[in-house]
Amino acid sequence: MHTLALPIARRELLVLSRASTTWRSRLGTSALLFVFGILVAVVYHYAGQFGLRQVMHFLGVGLSLMCLFAGVSLTADAIAEEKRGGTIGLLFLTNLSPFEIVLGKLVAHAVVGFYTVLCALPLLSISMIFGGMRLTDVFMYVGSALNVLFFSAAVALFASSFCRDKKRASTLVTLIVMFFWLGLPSMTLLLTHVLKAPQWLVDLVARLGVNLSSSFGVGLAR
């Protein structure tokens, strides 16, 4: 039985584990979570559960917004880098299938964002200790952020397969993300109030758009 060993992901992760940027990002994330933890405690002390819920919603939306543009820095240069180095052809000469190559690149470069989202889980869980949020709400915030992270990383990998330059790939990713985040919701309003389009078409366009202002931080526009 054939199994996905993902040697590409293993190679990339070994390189990232020794990179200085990995250690700096760990320290930066830890310091940021520490500051936000103090902020949450201060807000709860002075504003109670109502203020805490507002802060948790702000953190959930902010986490999803960060994940929405995470692909620009995580996977936008994953395949383009191989093209510039002339090693993309060598990958296809191996026994790996194109699916395994793409999946390995996605896993290796998006895992940093995945663990960053998981680091925010204890911070969001503080709201359960103080009161005001349920466990399902916390998991909804984190699950929604991970869903957006996968979308952003996949879009960036798609753009990286068409570009050789990192800046062009990052620009293409940003434009695509902005289209799904702001373009499709604006199109929904245009179809509803101006063009008087059929309801099925409005619902179809609305469900494709990313809406970060929903009650659980992020979701598909309803």
PDB file of all heavy atoms in Angstrom, residues 77-104:
ATOM      1  N   ASP A  77       6.246  31.935  -1.898  1.00  0.00           N
ATOM      2  CA  ASP A  77       7.529  31.710  -2.565  1.00  0.00           C
ATOM      3  C   ASP A  77       7.942  30.240  -2.537  1.00  0.00           C
ATOM      4  O   ASP A  77       9.083  29.908  -2.844  1.00  0.00           O
ATOM      5  CB  ASP A  77       8.604  32.575  -1.896  1.00  0.00           C
ATOM      6  CG  ASP A  77       9.859  32.707  -2.755  1.00  0.00           C
ATOM      7  OD1 ASP A  77       9.724  32.861  -3.980  1.00  0.00           O
ATOM      8  OD2 ASP A  77      10.971  32.652  -2.198  1.00  0.00           O
ATOM      9  N   ALA A  78       7.019  29.353  -2.177  1.00  0.00           N
ATOM     10  CA  ALA A  78       7.375  27.948  -1.999  1.00  0.00           C
ATOM     11  C   ALA A  78       7.823  27.299  -3.299  1.00  0.00           C
ATOM     12  O   ALA A  78       8.880  26.645  -3.362  1.00  0.00           O
ATOM     13  CB  ALA A  78       6.185  27.190  -1.404  1.00  0.00           C
ATOM     14  N   ILE A  79       7.055  27.449  -4.360  1.00  0.00           N
ATOM     15  CA  ILE A  79       7.397  26.851  -5.655  1.00  0.00           C
ATOM     16  C   ILE A  79       8.228  27.802  -6.496  1.00  0.00           C
ATOM     17  O   ILE A  79       9.108  27.373  -7.263  1.00  0.00           O
ATOM     18  CB  ILE A  79       6.120  26.429  -6.402  1.00  0.00           C
ATOM     19  CG1 ILE A  79       5.352  25.394  -5.577  1.00  0.00           C
ATOM     20  CG2 ILE A  79       6.440  25.873  -7.778  1.00  0.00           C
ATOM     21  CD1 ILE A  79       4.056  24.933  -6.203  1.00  0.00           C
ATOM     22  N   ALA A  80       7.969  29.107  -6.368  1.00  0.00           N
ATOM     23  CA  ALA A  80       8.741  30.094  -7.140  1.00  0.00           C
ATOM     24  C   ALA A  80      10.231  30.024  -6.804  1.00  0.00           C
ATOM     25  O   ALA A  80      11.088  30.223  -7.668  1.00  0.00           O
ATOM     26  CB  ALA A  80       8.208  31.494  -6.853  1.00  0.00           C
ATOM     27  N   GLU A  81      10.538  29.706  -5.554  1.00  0.00           N
ATOM     28  CA  GLU A  81      11.941  29.574  -5.145  1.00  0.00           C
ATOM     29  C   GLU A  81      12.630  28.430  -5.877  1.00  0.00           C
ATOM     30  O   GLU A  81      13.791  28.538  -6.268  1.00  0.00           O
ATOM     31  CB  GLU A  81      12.017  29.370  -3.634  1.00  0.00           C
ATOM     32  CG  GLU A  81      13.415  29.278  -3.085  1.00  0.00           C
ATOM     33  CD  GLU A  81      13.444  29.030  -1.598  1.00  0.00           C
ATOM     34  OE1 GLU A  81      12.375  28.687  -1.039  1.00  0.00           O
ATOM     35  OE2 GLU A  81      14.511  29.171  -0.981  1.00  0.00           O
ATOM     36  N   GLU A  82      11.897  27.322  -6.056  1.00  0.00           N
ATOM     37  CA  GLU A  82      12.451  26.187  -6.798  1.00  0.00           C
ATOM     38  C   GLU A  82      12.683  26.555  -8.262  1.00  0.00           C
ATOM     39  O   GLU A  82      13.654  26.110  -8.885  1.00  0.00           O
ATOM     40  CB  GLU A  82      11.501  24.995  -6.694  1.00  0.00           C
ATOM     41  CG  GLU A  82      11.232  24.498  -5.283  1.00  0.00           C
ATOM     42  CD  GLU A  82      12.389  23.703  -4.717  1.00  0.00           C
ATOM     43  OE1 GLU A  82      13.341  23.423  -5.461  1.00  0.00           O
ATOM     44  OE2 GLU A  82      12.336  23.357  -3.518  1.00  0.00           O
ATOM     45  N   LYS A  83      11.793  27.370  -8.817  1.00  0.00           N
ATOM     46  CA  LYS A  83      11.961  27.795 -10.213  1.00  0.00           C
ATOM     47  C   LYS A  83      13.200  28.662 -10.373  1.00  0.00           C
ATOM     48  O   LYS A  83      13.973  28.494 -11.325  1.00  0.00           O
ATOM     49  CB  LYS A  83      10.716  28.562 -10.667  1.00  0.00           C
ATOM     50  CG  LYS A  83       9.466  27.712 -10.820  1.00  0.00           C
ATOM     51  CD  LYS A  83       8.314  28.561 -11.319  1.00  0.00           C
ATOM     52  CE  LYS A  83       7.061  27.729 -11.509  1.00  0.00           C
ATOM     53  NZ  LYS A  83       5.925  28.544 -11.995  1.00  0.00           N
ATOM     54  N   ARG A  84      13.390  29.608  -9.463  1.00  0.00           N
ATOM     55  CA  ARG A  84      14.550  30.492  -9.567  1.00  0.00           C
ATOM     56  C   ARG A  84      15.846  29.733  -9.378  1.00  0.00           C
ATOM     57  O   ARG A  84      16.866  30.048  -9.990  1.00  0.00           O
ATOM     58  CB  ARG A  84      14.455  31.610  -8.520  1.00  0.00           C
ATOM     59  CG  ARG A  84      13.328  32.600  -8.756  1.00  0.00           C
ATOM     60  CD  ARG A  84      13.520  33.848  -7.913  1.00  0.00           C
ATOM     61  NE  ARG A  84      13.680  33.523  -6.504  1.00  0.00           N
ATOM     62  CZ  ARG A  84      12.673  33.412  -5.648  1.00  0.00           C
ATOM     63  NH1 ARG A  84      11.428  33.583  -6.075  1.00  0.00           N
ATOM     64  NH2 ARG A  84      12.883  33.140  -4.374  1.00  0.00           N
ATOM     65  N   GLY A  85      15.827  28.722  -8.523  1.00  0.00           N
ATOM     66  CA  GLY A  85      17.037  27.945  -8.287  1.00  0.00           C
ATOM     67  C   GLY A  85      17.279  26.857  -9.309  1.00  0.00           C
ATOM     68  O   GLY A  85      18.321  26.182  -9.266  1.00  0.00           O
ATOM     69  N   GLY A  86      16.314  26.650 -10.208  1.00  0.00           N
ATOM     70  CA  GLY A  86      16.473  25.623 -11.227  1.00  0.00           C
ATOM     71  C   GLY A  86      16.331  24.205 -10.712  1.00  0.00           C
ATOM     72  O   GLY A  86      16.804  23.259 -11.353  1.00  0.00           O
ATOM     73  N   THR A  87      15.689  24.023  -9.565  1.00  0.00           N
ATOM     74  CA  THR A  87      15.546  22.690  -8.975  1.00  0.00           C
ATOM     75  C   THR A  87      14.150  22.118  -9.140  1.00  0.00           C
ATOM     76  O   THR A  87      13.900  21.001  -8.685  1.00  0.00           O
ATOM     77  CB  THR A  87      15.889  22.750  -7.473  1.00  0.00           C
ATOM     78  OG1 THR A  87      15.045  23.723  -6.830  1.00  0.00           O
ATOM     79  CG2 THR A  87      17.338  23.137  -7.273  1.00  0.00           C
ATOM     80  N   ILE A  88      13.240  22.871  -9.760  1.00  0.00           N
ATOM     81  CA  ILE A  88      11.875  22.366  -9.908  1.00  0.00           C
ATOM     82  C   ILE A  88      11.842  21.131 -10.807  1.00  0.00           C
ATOM     83  O   ILE A  88      11.072  20.190 -10.575  1.00  0.00           O
ATOM     84  CB  ILE A  88      10.952  23.480 -10.471  1.00  0.00           C
ATOM     85  CG1 ILE A  88       9.497  23.013 -10.481  1.00  0.00           C
ATOM     86  CG2 ILE A  88      11.403  23.922 -11.850  1.00  0.00           C
ATOM     87  CD1 ILE A  88       8.908  22.823  -9.124  1.00  0.00           C
ATOM     88  N   GLY A  89      12.717  21.107 -11.823  1.00  0.00           N
ATOM     89  CA  GLY A  89      12.761  19.947 -12.702  1.00  0.00           C
ATOM     90  C   GLY A  89      13.286  18.706 -11.998  1.00  0.00           C
ATOM     91  O   GLY A  89      12.851  17.581 -12.300  1.00  0.00           O
ATOM     92  N   LEU A  90      14.211  18.902 -11.059  1.00  0.00           N
ATOM     93  CA  LEU A  90      14.751  17.761 -10.329  1.00  0.00           C
ATOM     94  C   LEU A  90      13.690  17.101  -9.452  1.00  0.00           C
ATOM     95  O   LEU A  90      13.726  15.886  -9.239  1.00  0.00           O
ATOM     96  CB  LEU A  90      15.936  18.220  -9.466  1.00  0.00           C
ATOM     97  CG  LEU A  90      17.148  18.782 -10.218  1.00  0.00           C
ATOM     98  CD1 LEU A  90      18.204  19.254  -9.242  1.00  0.00           C
ATOM     99  CD2 LEU A  90      17.721  17.744 -11.174  1.00  0.00           C
ATOM    100  N   LEU A  91      12.758  17.898  -8.949  1.00  0.00           N
ATOM    101  CA  LEU A  91      11.700  17.329  -8.108  1.00  0.00           C
ATOM    102  C   LEU A  91      10.813  16.383  -8.905  1.00  0.00           C
ATOM    103  O   LEU A  91      10.384  15.339  -8.406  1.00  0.00           O
ATOM    104  CB  LEU A  91      10.863  18.447  -7.496  1.00  0.00           C
ATOM    105  CG  LEU A  91      11.551  19.337  -6.461  1.00  0.00           C
ATOM    106  CD1 LEU A  91      10.602  20.426  -5.977  1.00  0.00           C
ATOM    107  CD2 LEU A  91      12.041  18.512  -5.283  1.00  0.00           C
ATOM    108  N   PHE A  92      10.555  16.738 -10.163  1.00  0.00           N
ATOM    109  CA  PHE A  92       9.695  15.899 -10.990  1.00  0.00           C
ATOM    110  C   PHE A  92      10.440  14.683 -11.546  1.00  0.00           C
ATOM    111  O   PHE A  92       9.801  13.786 -12.115  1.00  0.00           O
ATOM    112  CB  PHE A  92       9.118  16.720 -12.142  1.00  0.00           C
ATOM    113  CG  PHE A  92       8.074  17.713 -11.697  1.00  0.00           C
ATOM    114  CD1 PHE A  92       8.376  19.053 -11.584  1.00  0.00           C
ATOM    115  CD2 PHE A  92       6.794  17.291 -11.372  1.00  0.00           C
ATOM    116  CE1 PHE A  92       7.420  19.967 -11.166  1.00  0.00           C
ATOM    117  CE2 PHE A  92       5.834  18.195 -10.956  1.00  0.00           C
ATOM    118  CZ  PHE A  92       6.146  19.537 -10.848  1.00  0.00           C
ATOM    119  N   LEU A  93      11.761  14.650 -11.404  1.00  0.00           N
ATOM    120  CA  LEU A  93      12.524  13.472 -11.810  1.00  0.00           C
ATOM    121  C   LEU A  93      12.551  12.406 -10.723  1.00  0.00           C
ATOM    122  O   LEU A  93      12.999  11.284 -10.957  1.00  0.00           O
ATOM    123  CB  LEU A  93      13.957  13.869 -12.179  1.00  0.00           C
ATOM    124  CG  LEU A  93      14.120  14.698 -13.461  1.00  0.00           C
ATOM    125  CD1 LEU A  93      15.574  15.077 -13.654  1.00  0.00           C
ATOM    126  CD2 LEU A  93      13.594  13.936 -14.676  1.00  0.00           C
ATOM    127  N   THR A  94      12.101  12.770  -9.518  1.00  0.00           N
ATOM    128  CA  THR A  94      12.056  11.805  -8.420  1.00  0.00           C
ATOM    129  C   THR A  94      10.821  10.922  -8.553  1.00  0.00           C
ATOM    130  O   THR A  94      10.020  11.059  -9.476  1.00  0.00           O
ATOM    131  CB  THR A  94      12.031  12.545  -7.072  1.00  0.00           C
ATOM    132  OG1 THR A  94      10.833  13.338  -6.997  1.00  0.00           O
ATOM    133  CG2 THR A  94      13.240  13.463  -6.945  1.00  0.00           C
ATOM    134  N   ASN A  95      10.672  10.014  -7.615  1.00  0.00           N
ATOM    135  CA  ASN A  95       9.509   9.117  -7.613  1.00  0.00           C
ATOM    136  C   ASN A  95       8.256   9.785  -7.060  1.00  0.00           C
ATOM    137  O   ASN A  95       7.203   9.139  -6.972  1.00  0.00           O
ATOM    138  CB  ASN A  95       9.819   7.859  -6.801  1.00  0.00           C
ATOM    139  CG  ASN A  95      10.922   7.020  -7.437  1.00  0.00           C
ATOM    140  OD1 ASN A  95      11.046   6.978  -8.667  1.00  0.00           O
ATOM    141  ND2 ASN A  95      11.720   6.365  -6.609  1.00  0.00           N
ATOM    142  N   LEU A  96       8.370  11.034  -6.669  1.00  0.00           N
ATOM    143  CA  LEU A  96       7.237  11.733  -6.083  1.00  0.00           C
ATOM    144  C   LEU A  96       6.263  12.173  -7.169  1.00  0.00           C
ATOM    145  O   LEU A  96       6.660  12.601  -8.250  1.00  0.00           O
ATOM    146  CB  LEU A  96       7.707  12.960  -5.308  1.00  0.00           C
ATOM    147  CG  LEU A  96       8.662  12.702  -4.136  1.00  0.00           C
ATOM    148  CD1 LEU A  96       9.137  14.016  -3.534  1.00  0.00           C
ATOM    149  CD2 LEU A  96       7.979  11.848  -3.075  1.00  0.00           C
ATOM    150  N   SER A  97       4.989  12.078  -6.858  1.00  0.00           N
ATOM    151  CA  SER A  97       3.953  12.561  -7.778  1.00  0.00           C
ATOM    152  C   SER A  97       3.790  14.067  -7.592  1.00  0.00           C
ATOM    153  O   SER A  97       4.194  14.633  -6.563  1.00  0.00           O
ATOM    154  CB  SER A  97       2.626  11.853  -7.485  1.00  0.00           C
ATOM    155  OG  SER A  97       2.161  12.197  -6.185  1.00  0.00           O
ATOM    156  N   PRO A  98       3.219  14.764  -8.575  1.00  0.00           N
ATOM    157  CA  PRO A  98       2.976  16.205  -8.406  1.00  0.00           C
ATOM    158  C   PRO A  98       2.143  16.525  -7.163  1.00  0.00           C
ATOM    159  O   PRO A  98       2.366  17.547  -6.506  1.00  0.00           O
ATOM    160  CB  PRO A  98       2.241  16.585  -9.692  1.00  0.00           C
ATOM    161  CG  PRO A  98       2.706  15.582 -10.705  1.00  0.00           C
ATOM    162  CD  PRO A  98       2.890  14.305  -9.941  1.00  0.00           C
ATOM    163  N   PHE A  99       1.180  15.647  -6.845  1.00  0.00           N
ATOM    164  CA  PHE A  99       0.364  15.863  -5.651  1.00  0.00           C
ATOM    165  C   PHE A  99       1.216  15.832  -4.387  1.00  0.00           C
ATOM    166  O   PHE A  99       1.036  16.653  -3.478  1.00  0.00           O
ATOM    167  CB  PHE A  99      -0.732  14.789  -5.576  1.00  0.00           C
ATOM    168  CG  PHE A  99      -1.546  14.853  -4.317  1.00  0.00           C
ATOM    169  CD1 PHE A  99      -2.510  15.829  -4.144  1.00  0.00           C
ATOM    170  CD2 PHE A  99      -1.338  13.924  -3.302  1.00  0.00           C
ATOM    171  CE1 PHE A  99      -3.263  15.883  -2.978  1.00  0.00           C
ATOM    172  CE2 PHE A  99      -2.089  13.965  -2.135  1.00  0.00           C
ATOM    173  CZ  PHE A  99      -3.049  14.950  -1.967  1.00  0.00           C
ATOM    174  N   GLU A 100       2.146  14.891  -4.305  1.00  0.00           N
ATOM    175  CA  GLU A 100       3.003  14.787  -3.129  1.00  0.00           C
ATOM    176  C   GLU A 100       3.944  15.983  -3.017  1.00  0.00           C
ATOM    177  O   GLU A 100       4.236  16.440  -1.903  1.00  0.00           O
ATOM    178  CB  GLU A 100       3.806  13.484  -3.182  1.00  0.00           C
ATOM    179  CG  GLU A 100       2.974  12.243  -2.969  1.00  0.00           C
ATOM    180  CD  GLU A 100       3.791  10.979  -3.138  1.00  0.00           C
ATOM    181  OE1 GLU A 100       4.634  10.944  -4.061  1.00  0.00           O
ATOM    182  OE2 GLU A 100       3.600  10.028  -2.347  1.00  0.00           O
ATOM    183  N   ILE A 101       4.406  16.492  -4.144  1.00  0.00           N
ATOM    184  CA  ILE A 101       5.283  17.667  -4.123  1.00  0.00           C
ATOM    185  C   ILE A 101       4.528  18.892  -3.622  1.00  0.00           C
ATOM    186  O   ILE A 101       4.995  19.616  -2.746  1.00  0.00           O
ATOM    187  CB  ILE A 101       5.870  17.916  -5.530  1.00  0.00           C
ATOM    188  CG1 ILE A 101       6.797  16.767  -5.932  1.00  0.00           C
ATOM    189  CG2 ILE A 101       6.623  19.236  -5.563  1.00  0.00           C
ATOM    190  CD1 ILE A 101       7.319  16.875  -7.346  1.00  0.00           C
ATOM    191  N   VAL A 102       3.341  19.103  -4.180  1.00  0.00           N
ATOM    192  CA  VAL A 102       2.543  20.268  -3.783  1.00  0.00           C
ATOM    193  C   VAL A 102       2.100  20.142  -2.327  1.00  0.00           C
ATOM    194  O   VAL A 102       2.172  21.105  -1.553  1.00  0.00           O
ATOM    195  CB  VAL A 102       1.324  20.415  -4.716  1.00  0.00           C
ATOM    196  CG1 VAL A 102       0.391  21.516  -4.205  1.00  0.00           C
ATOM    197  CG2 VAL A 102       1.772  20.732  -6.127  1.00  0.00           C
ATOM    198  N   LEU A 103       1.646  18.957  -1.927  1.00  0.00           N
ATOM    199  CA  LEU A 103       1.207  18.755  -0.546  1.00  0.00           C
ATOM    200  C   LEU A 103       2.369  18.923   0.429  1.00  0.00           C
ATOM    201  O   LEU A 103       2.214  19.489   1.514  1.00  0.00           O
ATOM    202  CB  LEU A 103       0.585  17.368  -0.392  1.00  0.00           C
ATOM    203  CG  LEU A 103       0.016  17.037   0.995  1.00  0.00           C
ATOM    204  CD1 LEU A 103      -1.099  18.008   1.356  1.00  0.00           C
ATOM    205  CD2 LEU A 103      -0.503  15.606   1.030  1.00  0.00           C
ATOM    206  N   GLY A 104       3.545  18.432   0.046  1.00  0.00           N
ATOM    207  CA  GLY A 104       4.711  18.595   0.903  1.00  0.00           C
ATOM    208  C   GLY A 104       5.086  20.048   1.092  1.00  0.00           C
ATOM    209  O   GLY A 104       5.420  20.485   2.200  1.00  0.00           O
TER     210      GLY A 104
END
